[in-house]
Amino acid sequence: MSQTTYRCVCGATLEYRQDLEKEVGGTYPTWLCRDCRTPVPGTIAERIRHQHPS
């Protein structure tokens, strides 16, 4: 499986779980960019949160 990266609107490159912030509330968690707190699409966030730097 290839590594997933996402470019946030603030310019940050999200690659690892550390780049995301989890906002709890409602039925499902919302994943946000750690830098600007912009929501990250759910499918992308789920892939990124399982990646670990080696």
Side-chain angles (χ1 to χ4, degrees):
M1 185 147 104
S2 65
Q3 180 145 338
T4 300
T5 59
Y6 178 76
R7 175 73 68 174
C8 183
V9 296
C10 71
T13 300
L14 310 177
E15 293 183 86
Y16 304 112
R17 184 182 182 110
Q18 298 91 308
D19 300 329
L20 300 171
E21 188 172 313
K22 184 177 180 182
E23 183 176 73
V24 181
T27 308
Y28 300 102
T30 301
W31 293 96
L32 308 171
C33 169
R34 184 170 294 277
D35 293 340
C36 67
R37 299 191 45 85
T38 300
V40 176
T43 53
I44 301 294
E46 287 299 317
R47 287 186 209 149
I48 290 174
R49 77 182 195 94
H50 290 289
Q51 295 178 163
H52 302 284
S54 8

